[in-house]
């Protein structure tokens, strides 16, 4: 079962603890990149139930972002779930914009204090333009986007590698585990945008994965031994 809840749902806690949600459901908290992660996790682990707390463009933490309040009273929500025995495993997944990513430290501290097993999925690339713009630029320069090895950090919207490294360090320091999505999709800081020489795009805009990209993501997730153990519930046994 998968359940998406936006922060404006005043019955969020009631929904998260609804009787039809399995006791072993994993809670995933995140933004649209969290939704990408959810789709790939469902594909990778079809027998596992997930429940999702979502807010677009927000790191999984309570803070002010522009004119928006991100994940209102998240600490209270997590504490209540723990008290009711519904907070055994949590996945955090987001875009993790650099500078904003540090907001999650408070959530990591809360989860550690509640003895929740925590897995963080790090950032993938966010490019400074959508795929069609890169294809147009390549055409004007006399080549094809498909002929390029990939897109590098000079065309990222923020310092993804720095966000990745700092987030991993904070996660491990809090006792959590980490999946390095950046290394998976951008080995050696170069991000292929096609699935092989003749395959389709891996992205459908400047950051979100295409169906093919989601499949690749799911394959990488299920190949990760630590994540497989986390999902199976054997972690710490």
């Amino acid at each position: 079962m998968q359940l998406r809840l936006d922060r404006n749902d005043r019955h969020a806690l009631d929904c998260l603890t609804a009787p039809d949600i399995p006791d072993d459901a994993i809670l995933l908290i995140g933004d649209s990149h969290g939704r990408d992660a959810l789709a790939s996790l469902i594909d990778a682990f079809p027998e596992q139930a997930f429940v999702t707390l979502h807010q677009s463009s927000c790191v999984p933490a309570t803070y002010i972002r522009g004119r928006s309040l991100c994940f209102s009273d998240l600490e209270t929500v997590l504490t209540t779930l723990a008290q009711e025995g519904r907070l055994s495993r949590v996945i955090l997944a987001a875009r993790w914009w650099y500078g904003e990513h540090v907001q999650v430290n408070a959530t990591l501290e809360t989860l550690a204090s509640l003895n929740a097993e925590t897995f963080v999925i790090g950032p993938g690339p966010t490019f400074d333009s959508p795929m069609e713009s890169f294809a147009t630029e390549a055409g004007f320069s006399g080549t094809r986007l498909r002929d390029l090895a990939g897109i590098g950090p000079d065309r990222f919207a923020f310092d993804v590698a720095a966000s990745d490294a700092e987030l991993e360090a904070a996660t491990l320091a809090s006792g959590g585990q980490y999946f390095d999505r950046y290394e998976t999709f951008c080995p050696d800081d170069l991000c292929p945008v096609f699935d092989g020489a003749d395959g389709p795009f891996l992205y459908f805009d400047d950051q979100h994965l295409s169906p093919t990209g989601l499949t690749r993501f799911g394959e990488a997730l299920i190949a990760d031994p630590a994540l497989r153990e986390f999902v199976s519930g054997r972690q710490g046994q």
Side-chain angles (χ1 to χ4, degrees):
M1 172 183 295
Q2 290 77 42
L3 174 65
R4 172 183 165 184
L5 298 171
D6 292 307
R7 69 175 180 88
N8 291 326
D9 190 332
R10 60 189 179 86
H11 301 299
L13 266 174
D14 291 337
C15 292
L16 287 168
T17 56
D20 57 342
I21 295 178
D23 291 339
D24 68 343
I26 295 174
L27 173 61
L28 188 150
I29 310 173
D31 58 9
S32 58
H33 290 254
R35 292 201 310 266
D36 276 2
L38 176 65
S40 294
L41 285 164
I42 292 169
D43 187 51
F45 304 100
E47 302 303 316
Q48 174 61 49
F50 296 89
V51 58
T52 307
L53 187 61
H54 164 267
Q55 187 171 351
S56 293
S57 302
C58 285
V59 166
T62 300
Y63 65 104
I64 300 295
R65 185 180 193 275
R67 297 183 178 180
S68 299
L69 173 62
C70 289
F71 291 103
S72 178
D73 297 322
L74 182 57
E75 181 177 358
T76 299
V77 171
L78 295 174
T79 300
T80 302
L81 290 174
Q83 292 170 345
E84 298 187 12
R86 307 296 291 268
L87 192 75
S88 60
R89 291 172 293 168
V90 179
I91 295 174
L92 306 178
R95 176 175 55 180
W96 306 117
W97 190 279
Y98 188 78
E100 199 171 341
H101 70 298
V102 298
Q103 300 289 346
V104 80
N105 292 347
T107 303
L108 291 172
E109 291 176 7
T110 297
L111 291 169
S113 71
L114 297 172
N115 296 315
E117 296 178 7
T118 303
F119 218 108
V120 174
I121 296 177
T126 294
F127 305 108
D128 63 8
S129 297
M131 291 298 103
E132 59 266 28
S133 294
F134 284 112
T136 299
E137 289 178 24
F140 278 124
S141 66
T143 186
R144 301 185 307 165
L145 182 57
R146 188 177 294 276
D147 295 332
L148 304 179
I151 299 174
D154 60 317
R155 297 302 305 269
F156 290 174
F158 63 91
D159 193 338
V160 180
S163 181
D164 179 48
E166 293 177 17
L167 186 61
E168 181 176 16
T171 300
L172 299 180
S174 71
Q177 297 189 83
Y178 192 80
F179 178 84
D180 194 336
R181 179 180 167 185
Y182 180 58
E183 175 61 28
T184 299
F185 280 91
C186 305
D188 299 319
D189 292 315
L190 188 65
C191 311
V193 296
F194 290 99
D195 184 27
D198 301 313
F201 275 107
L202 296 175
Y203 305 88
F204 72 81
D205 58 10
D206 60 340
Q207 57 189 288
H208 298 100
L209 293 168
S210 68
T212 300
L214 291 173
T215 298
R216 287 273 301 272
F217 195 10
E219 292 170 351
L221 291 171
I222 201 170
D224 185 89
L227 185 58
R228 289 201 307 271
E229 186 174 277
F230 175 86
V231 172
S232 72
R234 295 196 301 269
Q235 181 181 347
Q237 295 184 5

